[in-house]
Amino acid sequence: MKTLLVCTSVSHGNTRRVARAMAEVLDARVAAPDEVEVSDLPGYDLVGFGSGVFSQRMHRDLLGFVRAVPRPGTGSRPGSGSRATTSRGPAFVFATSGLPELAFAPFTRPLVRLLEGRGFAVVDTFTCRALDTWMPFRLIGGINKQRPDEDDLVAARAFARRLGKDCATAA
């Protein structure tokens, strides 16, 4: 199964560490949004999209990359047309954050909806805590100073293993 992880990791390398752990299991390529062409996405059987979380939002570079993916049936005009049926195959979302994801307002939800609107079938999400030095946390040297730790990376690998099996079974 050919897999790509599109990953924005700008502050401490937390998200890239998680992406690399998943990539080990999935034998995947890890690339930043500016290292991938939108036109390359159909060449992959599974695509992961991940970033750190900034003010309860995924990184703008990752969101911009996904917004550049045309909606199915609309040609090359991103943002036009109505909500489409799935046509691009399976995808997943992963994130690292200083604060936990809230059940009533998950920070991964907007990206999941954006991907679904671009024709991806989002099969799952993965989040873990990570070093966060955003103000006001910077004043105390940050929070989650040792994260993602080995337990987080083991969980990321287990997530990837399950995802790989599920996608291979569905294919």
Side-chain angles (χ1 to χ4, degrees), residues 22-35:
M22 290 179 180
E24 291 171 15
V25 173
L26 296 169
D27 192 27
R29 173 182 173 209
V30 177
D34 63 355
E35 299 171 336

Side-chain angles (χ1 to χ4, degrees), residues 7-9 13-21 30-32 35 94:
C7 172
T8 300
S9 185
N14 298 323
T15 310
R16 185 159 293 271
R17 287 181 59 210
V18 170
R20 286 183 180 145
V30 177
E35 299 171 336
F94 60 101

Side-chain angles (χ1 to χ4, degrees), residues 4-113:
L4 171 68
L5 303 181
V6 182
C7 172
T8 300
S9 185
V10 297
S11 297
H12 305 289
N14 298 323
T15 310
R16 185 159 293 271
R17 287 181 59 210
V18 170
R20 286 183 180 145
M22 290 179 180
E24 291 171 15
V25 173
L26 296 169
D27 192 27
R29 173 182 173 209
V30 177
D34 63 355
E35 299 171 336
V36 180
E37 295 296 325
V38 167
S39 60
D40 295 340
L41 296 178
Y44 291 91
D45 302 309
L46 175 65
V47 183
F49 297 88
S51 81
V53 175
F54 303 86
S55 299
Q56 290 298 104
R57 292 182 186 92
M58 304 293 279
H59 195 275
R60 68 182 178 275
D61 290 352
L62 183 66
L63 295 172
F65 177 81
V66 175
R67 285 186 186 107
V69 175
R71 293 177 188 263
T74 61
S76 60
R77 298 177 323 171
S80 64
S82 60
R83 201 166 176 92
T85 58
T86 300
S87 65
R88 283 200 166 77
F92 65 97
V93 172
F94 60 101
T96 58
S97 66
L99 298 174
E101 188 168 37
L102 303 173
F104 63 88
F107 43 74
T108 55
R109 184 183 301 153
L111 180 55
V112 168
R113 288 183 176 158

Side-chain angles (χ1 to χ4, degrees), residues 89-137:
F92 65 97
V93 172
F94 60 101
T96 58
S97 66
L99 298 174
E101 188 168 37
L102 303 173
F104 63 88
F107 43 74
T108 55
R109 184 183 301 153
L111 180 55
V112 168
R113 288 183 176 158
L114 183 60
L115 287 165
E116 289 172 343
R118 296 308 194 263
F120 289 95
V122 179
V123 295
D124 209 346
T125 63
F126 176 86
T127 63
C128 73
R129 304 287 291 279
L131 173 62
D132 189 346
T133 55
W134 179 77
M135 284 300 257
F137 306 129

